[in-house]
Amino acid sequence: MPDPELSVVVPMYDEEEVLPIFFERMRPLLDGLGISYEVLVVDDGSRDATAPMLLKAAVDWPELRVVRLLRNSGHQAAQSAGFRRARGRYLVTIDADLQDPPEVIAELLATAREQEVDVVYGVRSDRSSDSWPKRTTARMYYRLMCRLVGKDIPFDAADFRLVSRRVVDAVNALPEDGRVFRLVIPWLGFPSAEVAYVRAERAAGVTKYNWSKMFRLAFDSVTAFSAAPLRLATWFGLLGGMLSGLFAVGALVIKLSGNSVPGWTSTVLAVSVIGAIQLLCLGLLGEYVARLFQSSQRRPQFLVGYDSLDDAGHQTLDDAGHRALDAAGHRTLDAAGHRTLDAAGHRTLDAAGHQTLGEAPTR
């Protein structure tokens, strides 16, 4: 099968409510582009009916490719899986909630071809659909990231973008785990352009990206991409040393003047300031040590449990929407619902239901 011109990577997690609208808008639009394409949906361990609905839709939509991760690995990890498995000359990443309108994909592609650039960012010209706290924290995030990365990062450009195969290969070649795409791609320095659009309301369902996940993304962006917090810890240490010196000089002056009064206020204040700075510095150092520990483990960022492309067109679904294959199929399910492969397969399950691999996973 020849590689398509365009790959559209869509991370999904519990999106059963929005899927009918997603299919209705996405397929006619991509069919109308007049080019070969694939819609690579990465199911990030959904717990609802997202996976059965995708597999059922793939029967009538040959360009729809479903990749299922064995567990919920996070939005950025799902994007990494899409980057590694996409085959297109161009790759577009878009969320399933349709807040980023898929109708803009044609403009992204046209801009990349006309201006001969490798990256085209979708930039939100109007975020009125977002709450004031979200808009404010987003502005703070992008200003901070510009300082850390040392390059101009398009404001209000999240994960809706088009990249060329050169960019995809460069990202996949990076050795780091836990990459944040909205920082890594500008850092690479490929020629880029921007396309403005109006951000819409969520088409259906509720957001899965709550405040805790947004805070985690911001924290990962800082600690995974910059050593600035370590330098900040050094400055805090110097400040603490200066304050301690001032306390010592003040205490000595009071002692020599004969006006010293025994008390605990100054002691508590000094200990509190120094202790707080020490704990902060230890916490920052601990975060980097934890990342070194995780890196030394060399655990994969994600594990793919299923890719509809491997089924080579033999996929069928039973009445309950579960996956099954005909006699010529490459993958079947046993009575317990566990996945097995024939002799030519790359992944099998033993009698206990544990996964085994034909080859060691590559990174």
Side-chain angles (χ1 to χ4, degrees):
M1 180 184 299
D3 292 340
E5 179 75 5
L6 176 67
S7 293
V8 180
V9 174
V10 190
M12 286 192 184
Y13 178 65
D14 290 351
E15 295 288 2
E16 62 178 357
E17 295 182 45
V18 79
L19 275 180
I21 307 173
F22 176 84
F23 296 145
E24 182 182 352
R25 289 179 61 180
M26 186 66 74
R27 184 173 185 178
L29 185 150
L30 295 177
D31 287 343
L33 292 179
I35 60 173
S36 59
Y37 71 90
E38 66 174 354
V39 178
L40 200 164
V41 175
V42 182
D43 176 30
D44 189 20
S46 295
R47 302 164 298 177
D48 61 3
T50 297
M53 291 175 66
L54 287 170
L55 292 171
K56 191 171 183 178
V59 175
D60 298 320
W61 190 4
E63 291 83 6
L64 178 60
R65 179 181 170 191
V66 183
V67 172
R68 297 192 64 189
L69 305 188
L70 288 176
R71 61 179 178 84
N72 179 247
S73 302
H75 187 265
Q76 299 299 305
Q79 282 198 60
S80 293
F83 264 66
R84 289 193 179 277
R85 295 207 162 227
R87 301 175 296 130
R89 180 185 175 190
Y90 293 99
L91 182 150
V92 170
T93 52
I94 186 172
D95 290 337
D97 56 15
L98 301 177
Q99 286 190 278
D100 301 327
E103 291 77 12
V104 180
I105 293 177
E107 189 175 355
L108 296 177
L109 184 60
T111 301
R113 289 171 168 174
E114 292 171 3
Q115 301 188 23
E116 298 183 349
V117 294
D118 290 291
V119 183
V120 182
Y121 298 101
V123 178
R124 302 161 183 172
S125 60
D126 183 357
R127 298 192 61 159
S128 58
S129 60
D130 293 334
S131 63
W132 179 85
K134 188 170 183 179
R135 293 196 301 269
T136 303
T137 53
R139 285 194 295 268
M140 295 171 59
Y141 171 83
Y142 286 111
R143 288 194 179 97
L144 176 61
M145 292 307 107
C146 283
R147 288 183 175 273
L148 292 181
V149 177
K151 293 180 178 291
D152 290 333
I153 298 178
F155 269 58
D156 293 326
D159 291 314
F160 183 35
R161 70 178 76 83
L162 178 144
V163 297
S164 68
R165 172 51 55 179
R166 284 207 307 163
V167 178
V168 174
D169 293 339
V171 170
N172 290 336
L174 294 175
E176 65 187 86
D177 294 326
R179 61 178 67 98
V180 180
F181 282 87
R182 63 186 68 182
L183 299 183
V184 167
I185 291 178
W187 177 83
L188 290 172
F190 285 95
S192 63
E194 298 179 7
V195 170
Y197 69 95
V198 177
R199 184 171 172 83
E201 296 281 354
R202 192 178 228 279
V206 296
T207 180
K208 314 304 183 300
Y209 221 72
N210 53 33
W211 283 102
S212 63
K213 290 184 178 180
M214 286 190 286
F215 177 79
R216 186 69 221 181
L217 173 65
F219 194 75
D220 287 343
S221 299
V222 174
T223 56
F225 208 84
S226 174
L230 288 177
R231 300 187 183 97
L232 184 64
T234 302
W235 285 108
F236 275 129
L238 292 174
L239 178 61
M242 294 173 59
L243 291 176
S244 300
L246 291 176
F247 276 121
V249 171
L252 181 61
V253 170
I254 294 174
K255 182 68 175 179
L256 294 176
S257 64
N259 296 323
S260 61
V261 177
W264 57 269
T265 303
S266 59
T267 302
V268 170
L269 182 60
V271 172
S272 299
V273 171
I274 296 173
I277 293 175
Q278 288 177 333
L279 289 175
L280 176 61
C281 296
L282 286 175
L284 292 170
L285 291 172
E287 181 67 25
Y288 282 90
V289 171
R291 288 186 173 276
L292 289 174
F293 170 69
Q294 292 171 354
S295 177
S296 67
Q297 290 178 313
R298 305 305 298 169
R299 291 176 180 173
Q301 189 183 9
F302 57 86
L303 291 172
V304 174
Y306 170 77
D307 187 339
S308 61
L309 186 66
D310 297 336
D311 282 342
H314 297 291
Q315 174 182 286
T316 60
L317 295 171
D318 58 21
D319 293 337
H322 297 130
R323 192 163 58 251
L325 292 174
D326 57 20
H330 300 82
R331 179 177 287 119
T332 61
L333 295 176
D334 60 19
H338 297 133
R339 188 167 58 254
T340 60
L341 290 174
D342 60 9
H346 299 88
R347 180 177 290 110
T348 62
L349 295 176
D350 60 18
H354 299 129
Q355 176 179 288
T356 60
L357 294 173
E359 316 180 325
T362 56
R363 304 184 66 81

